[in-house]
Amino acid sequence: MTERIALFPLGHVLLPGAALPLHIFEPRYQAMIADLLASTPPAFGVLSIHRGTETSEDVAFAAVGTMAEIVNRRPYPDGTSDLLTIGSRRFQVREILRSGRPYLRAEVEWLAETVGAATPELVADARALFERYVEVVRTLSRERTDVTLPAEPVPASYQLAGLMQLTREDRQNLLAAPTAAHRLHAELVLMRREITLLQQTRTAPIDPRALWINPVAN
């Protein structure tokens, strides 16, 4: 069974549990927020744009996105607003709807969060390698970084996806992974790649810190 949601396409991959601040200024998105405020909780789908722009004829969207739940809103007299949103449920797009409202909507199916074959040993391996990754970044950047991953496979897999220096395509692939086990195995490969690149280039492109909040229960 599908459900219809409002869409906010971005050049960004939102992950469950990640914070996403937004400044809403375009009239179509002001209308979207006004439509959503009657919902509990008010939320919209964030979908990454793979190619083109939202309104271009050759635009291509990712197939999997994440709901952004509005946890704080600061409206301004001119109709704009600042939002703090948190990624919650993942969805698979079945159809993009371009008519009926000034903003895009979609028919979607919700994706379950499945642990899969994520053993405690797999999670421990991922956490240990991430500590090594953070140590390499700390050595290169000379900045103190304290990040502790949870022991639970699903939130740990999403935090890793958000904290590593990755391409948007890599992060989208991790978002779309069918289970936490698939995601963690892929992240072990990516972390080894990133550690090697960091050691070879001797530069730290980012400080691996981010704001993480547990997804709201649905």
Side-chain angles (χ1 to χ4, degrees), residues 28-182:
R28 57 181 165 170
Y29 291 122
Q30 292 181 34
M32 182 184 78
I33 298 304
D35 289 346
L36 294 175
L37 289 179
S39 306
T40 304
F44 51 87
V46 171
L47 198 60
S48 178
I49 301 174
H50 278 186
R51 184 185 68 246
T53 63
E54 180 182 344
T55 57
S56 63
E57 292 184 0
D58 65 340
V59 64
F61 299 109
V64 174
T66 304
M67 291 301 286
E69 298 191 359
I70 301 172
V71 296
N72 190 46
R73 174 175 174 264
R74 178 178 295 176
Y76 297 104
D78 62 358
T80 64
S81 60
D82 288 329
L83 304 180
L84 176 61
T85 71
I86 302 296
S88 59
R89 292 188 288 177
R90 296 182 305 153
F91 58 84
Q92 176 102 30
V93 175
R94 294 305 178 198
E95 183 182 2
I96 300 289
L97 306 174
R98 300 179 180 274
S99 61
R101 300 299 300 154
Y103 50 87
L104 291 179
R105 294 176 296 165
E107 293 287 342
V108 304
E109 292 182 357
W110 303 113
L111 297 178
E113 294 300 347
T114 305
V115 173
T119 63
E121 292 75 19
L122 175 60
V123 178
D125 288 346
R127 296 177 75 190
L129 190 58
F130 181 69
E131 289 178 4
R132 172 61 179 152
Y133 172 79
V134 170
E135 182 60 35
V136 171
V137 173
R138 181 185 298 130
T139 299
L140 295 174
S141 66
R142 299 182 181 181
E143 293 185 7
R144 182 70 183 175
T145 303
D146 295 309
V147 180
T148 302
L149 294 176
E152 296 78 15
V154 172
S157 70
Y158 283 128
Q159 288 200 25
L160 278 172
L163 292 170
M164 284 189 290
Q165 175 72 9
L166 299 173
T167 66
R168 188 167 58 186
E169 181 180 4
D170 284 336
R171 194 164 281 118
Q172 180 65 43
N173 289 337
L174 292 174
L175 175 67
T179 70
H182 284 86

